[in-house]
């Protein structure tokens, strides 16, 4: 295919593709690439795993299996199963001996992050992990703004428990959290935020 | 209900129940109670969680969901799904800031633990976690002997990688691992073994 431009210039598909790749690499953002937030986190986890930086995995969706078929010469097929409520957050793992635990959520809102995105079991789990000195946080994605934040769970919990707010204002998140600059690899460089968070914590508590 | 014994004595249900509970508390072993090894670990995890000792969960079985029905007024039903291979071990969590990662396996063998119980993806995952200074181990249950051992993953990995053995001799496990004395609560007191393991490690490496 040849595209004819008003000025008479032409471009081949190949040139167009090159151009497109260049443009995409400029916009270093998973959202522009049609990648969902969760997928972007998963590929970031793969990046960290492959480079021996951290071992973080998404937990499988909990399912109650009721009936399974075992057809001959082929794989077992689950024929009846139900979604169960998770008892933890979605992601956990290890980084330099530290236990990491987090949840990733997105909103289309532009000024605040609705608390309805979180569930009591997640809050309870985060509280338990904090008691054990785990590094607990949430990754918050404002899809309309294309901004992503690391926000410590202990702050989320205290807002959740005051019970007066339906949402966390973006201003609070920007001030108390750590904004992540989206990259190519890793897409969501949350380990950088953890480093900064630990540093701040150590300075704060004089650990 | 009243049971009439040959000697003429009777016992009420209540008395029987009391007796049963007493008997059961004497046999301090999950195996005698018809509880599977995995269940015994799960209730031990609950015990640790409820007492704020550690936060450890079994990961859900990974399932690839293909078709879901949404009947009116009732829960979504998964109608077609397949088992996927896990990319990690079954258990992980946090204890005093430490990342814990383990797999639980059982055998009927009496003299050695067959390595066929483990899979390459589990070994790879344990290696990755060790690189990040996670506490990695396996819980080995000899059901015929009713003996349970904590065995550090780094030893399992080195045996796995020498590739000459089909199994780990019980003598090696007893010597290099830590035997767990089964209890009522927790059934499988693996945190005790972790404490001992960390202590030994610290003495060994002078950390």
């Amino acid at each position: 295919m040849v595209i004819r431009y008003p000025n008479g210039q032409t471009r081949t598909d190949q040139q167009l593709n090159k151009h497109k790749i260049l443009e995409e690499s400029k916009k270093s953002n998973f959202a522009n690439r049609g990648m969902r937030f969760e997928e972007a986190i998963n590929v970031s986890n793969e990046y960290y795993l492959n480079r021996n930086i951290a071992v973080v995995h998404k937990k499988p969706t909990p399912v109650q299996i009721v009936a399974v078929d075992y057809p001959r010469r082929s794989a077992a097929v689950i024929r009846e199963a139900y979604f169960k409520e998770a008892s933890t957050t979605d992601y956990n793992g290890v980084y330099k001996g530290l236990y990491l635990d987090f949840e990733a959520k997105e909103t289309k809102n532009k000024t605040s992050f609705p608390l309805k995105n979180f569930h009591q079991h997640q809050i309870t789990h985060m509280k338990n992990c904090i008691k054990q000195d785990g590094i607990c946080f949430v990754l918050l994605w404002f899809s309309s703004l294309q901004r992503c934040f690391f926000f410590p769970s202990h702050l989320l919990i205290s807002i959740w428990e005051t019970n007066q707010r339906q949402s966390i204002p973006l201003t609070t998140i920007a001030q108390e959290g750590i904004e992540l600059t989206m990259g190519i690899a890793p897409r969501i460089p949350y380990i950088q935020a953890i480093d900064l968070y630990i540093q701040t914590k150590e300075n704060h508590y004089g650990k």
Side-chain angles (χ1 to χ4, degrees), chain A residues 60-75:
Chain A
T61 306
V63 157
Q64 180 72 50
I65 297 165
V66 175
V68 183
D69 264 7
Y70 297 92
R72 284 197 188 174
R73 291 165 203 269
S74 56

mmCIF file of all heavy atoms in Angstrom, chain A residues 60-75:
data_model
loop_
_atom_site.group_PDB
_atom_site.id
_atom_site.type_symbol
_atom_site.label_atom_id
_atom_site.label_comp_id
_atom_site.label_asym_id
_atom_site.label_seq_id
_atom_site.Cartn_x
_atom_site.Cartn_y
_atom_site.Cartn_z
ATOM 1 N N PRO A 60 -3.149 -16.442 41.301
ATOM 2 C CA PRO A 60 -4.256 -16.884 40.447
ATOM 3 C C PRO A 60 -5.606 -16.489 41.061
ATOM 4 O O PRO A 60 -5.702 -16.321 42.276
ATOM 5 C CB PRO A 60 -4.112 -18.407 40.432
ATOM 6 C CG PRO A 60 -2.713 -18.686 40.875
ATOM 7 C CD PRO A 60 -2.334 -17.558 41.786
ATOM 8 N N THR A 61 -6.605 -16.335 40.208
ATOM 9 C CA THR A 61 -7.969 -16.066 40.679
ATOM 10 C C THR A 61 -8.475 -17.287 41.437
ATOM 11 O O THR A 61 -8.435 -18.397 40.912
ATOM 12 C CB THR A 61 -8.898 -15.836 39.462
ATOM 13 O OG1 THR A 61 -8.309 -14.804 38.669
ATOM 14 C CG2 THR A 61 -10.284 -15.403 39.880
ATOM 15 N N PRO A 62 -8.964 -17.110 42.663
ATOM 16 C CA PRO A 62 -9.441 -18.278 43.411
ATOM 17 C C PRO A 62 -10.760 -18.811 42.850
ATOM 18 O O PRO A 62 -11.688 -18.040 42.626
ATOM 19 C CB PRO A 62 -9.651 -17.750 44.832
ATOM 20 C CG PRO A 62 -9.198 -16.334 44.834
ATOM 21 C CD PRO A 62 -9.094 -15.867 43.424
ATOM 22 N N VAL A 63 -10.786 -20.091 42.610
ATOM 23 C CA VAL A 63 -11.943 -20.733 41.985
ATOM 24 C C VAL A 63 -12.306 -21.988 42.771
ATOM 25 O O VAL A 63 -11.425 -22.742 43.189
ATOM 26 C CB VAL A 63 -11.593 -21.068 40.509
ATOM 27 C CG1 VAL A 63 -12.449 -22.187 39.974
ATOM 28 C CG2 VAL A 63 -11.712 -19.829 39.634
ATOM 29 N N GLN A 64 -13.581 -22.170 43.031
ATOM 30 C CA GLN A 64 -14.058 -23.389 43.680
ATOM 31 C C GLN A 64 -14.466 -24.358 42.581
ATOM 32 O O GLN A 64 -15.445 -24.111 41.873
ATOM 33 C CB GLN A 64 -15.265 -23.038 44.566
ATOM 34 C CG GLN A 64 -15.874 -24.217 45.303
ATOM 35 C CD GLN A 64 -14.980 -24.687 46.440
ATOM 36 O OE1 GLN A 64 -14.529 -23.889 47.257
ATOM 37 N NE2 GLN A 64 -14.714 -25.985 46.488
ATOM 38 N N ILE A 65 -13.710 -25.437 42.451
ATOM 39 C CA ILE A 65 -13.987 -26.384 41.369
ATOM 40 C C ILE A 65 -14.994 -27.424 41.846
ATOM 41 O O ILE A 65 -14.824 -28.028 42.899
ATOM 42 C CB ILE A 65 -12.676 -27.051 40.891
ATOM 43 C CG1 ILE A 65 -11.748 -25.975 40.314
ATOM 44 C CG2 ILE A 65 -12.959 -28.133 39.848
ATOM 45 C CD1 ILE A 65 -10.313 -26.407 40.140
ATOM 46 N N VAL A 66 -16.054 -27.619 41.056
ATOM 47 C CA VAL A 66 -17.129 -28.544 41.446
ATOM 48 C C VAL A 66 -17.124 -29.801 40.579
ATOM 49 O O VAL A 66 -17.268 -30.905 41.071
ATOM 50 C CB VAL A 66 -18.507 -27.833 41.396
ATOM 51 C CG1 VAL A 66 -19.643 -28.810 41.681
ATOM 52 C CG2 VAL A 66 -18.539 -26.670 42.371
ATOM 53 N N ALA A 67 -16.967 -29.625 39.272
ATOM 54 C CA ALA A 67 -17.008 -30.794 38.389
ATOM 55 C C ALA A 67 -15.910 -30.719 37.337
ATOM 56 O O ALA A 67 -15.666 -29.670 36.737
ATOM 57 C CB ALA A 67 -18.372 -30.876 37.705
ATOM 58 N N VAL A 68 -15.254 -31.872 37.132
ATOM 59 C CA VAL A 68 -14.169 -31.955 36.150
ATOM 60 C C VAL A 68 -14.400 -33.157 35.242
ATOM 61 O O VAL A 68 -14.717 -34.243 35.729
ATOM 62 C CB VAL A 68 -12.789 -32.086 36.850
ATOM 63 C CG1 VAL A 68 -11.662 -32.089 35.838
ATOM 64 C CG2 VAL A 68 -12.577 -30.966 37.864
ATOM 65 N N ASP A 69 -14.289 -32.940 33.946
ATOM 66 C CA ASP A 69 -14.348 -34.037 32.966
ATOM 67 C C ASP A 69 -12.932 -34.481 32.623
ATOM 68 O O ASP A 69 -12.049 -33.643 32.503
ATOM 69 C CB ASP A 69 -14.962 -33.519 31.656
ATOM 70 C CG ASP A 69 -16.442 -33.814 31.568
ATOM 71 O OD1 ASP A 69 -16.998 -34.296 32.573
ATOM 72 O OD2 ASP A 69 -17.030 -33.547 30.508
ATOM 73 N N TYR A 70 -12.746 -35.787 32.445
ATOM 74 C CA TYR A 70 -11.440 -36.264 32.017
ATOM 75 C C TYR A 70 -11.585 -36.978 30.679
ATOM 76 O O TYR A 70 -11.661 -38.197 30.627
ATOM 77 C CB TYR A 70 -10.848 -37.214 33.059
ATOM 78 C CG TYR A 70 -10.592 -36.547 34.389
ATOM 79 C CD1 TYR A 70 -11.539 -36.556 35.402
ATOM 80 C CD2 TYR A 70 -9.380 -35.888 34.621
ATOM 81 C CE1 TYR A 70 -11.303 -35.926 36.616
ATOM 82 C CE2 TYR A 70 -9.143 -35.262 35.830
ATOM 83 C CZ TYR A 70 -10.095 -35.289 36.833
ATOM 84 O OH TYR A 70 -9.866 -34.666 38.026
ATOM 85 N N PRO A 71 -11.655 -36.203 29.602
ATOM 86 C CA PRO A 71 -11.820 -36.865 28.301
ATOM 87 C C PRO A 71 -10.557 -37.663 27.969
ATOM 88 O O PRO A 71 -9.467 -37.300 28.392
ATOM 89 C CB PRO A 71 -11.972 -35.693 27.318
ATOM 90 C CG PRO A 71 -11.909 -34.438 28.125
ATOM 91 C CD PRO A 71 -11.380 -34.773 29.471
ATOM 92 N N ARG A 72 -10.738 -38.759 27.224
ATOM 93 C CA ARG A 72 -9.579 -39.560 26.828
ATOM 94 C C ARG A 72 -8.617 -38.757 25.968
ATOM 95 O O ARG A 72 -9.045 -37.969 25.141
ATOM 96 C CB ARG A 72 -10.044 -40.768 26.003
ATOM 97 C CG ARG A 72 -10.644 -41.836 26.875
ATOM 98 C CD ARG A 72 -10.685 -43.128 26.112
ATOM 99 N NE ARG A 72 -11.440 -44.113 26.885
ATOM 100 C CZ ARG A 72 -11.747 -45.309 26.436
ATOM 101 N NH1 ARG A 72 -11.367 -45.650 25.206
ATOM 102 N NH2 ARG A 72 -12.416 -46.166 27.168
ATOM 103 N N ARG A 73 -7.362 -39.011 26.140
ATOM 104 C CA ARG A 73 -6.305 -38.433 25.311
ATOM 105 C C ARG A 73 -6.284 -36.909 25.297
ATOM 106 O O ARG A 73 -5.742 -36.285 24.407
ATOM 107 C CB ARG A 73 -6.434 -38.870 23.830
ATOM 108 C CG ARG A 73 -6.156 -40.303 23.584
ATOM 109 C CD ARG A 73 -6.678 -40.672 22.200
ATOM 110 N NE ARG A 73 -6.926 -42.087 22.087
ATOM 111 C CZ ARG A 73 -6.003 -42.961 21.660
ATOM 112 N NH1 ARG A 73 -4.825 -42.547 21.288
ATOM 113 N NH2 ARG A 73 -6.298 -44.241 21.608
ATOM 114 N N SER A 74 -6.976 -36.275 26.228
ATOM 115 C CA SER A 74 -6.838 -34.819 26.256
ATOM 116 C C SER A 74 -6.904 -34.312 27.690
ATOM 117 O O SER A 74 -7.172 -35.067 28.618
ATOM 118 C CB SER A 74 -7.886 -34.151 25.372
ATOM 119 O OG SER A 74 -9.173 -34.548 25.756
ATOM 120 N N ALA A 75 -6.662 -33.039 27.829
ATOM 121 C CA ALA A 75 -6.531 -32.462 29.165
ATOM 122 C C ALA A 75 -7.861 -32.451 29.907
ATOM 123 O O ALA A 75 -8.929 -32.431 29.301
ATOM 124 C CB ALA A 75 -6.011 -31.040 29.041
#
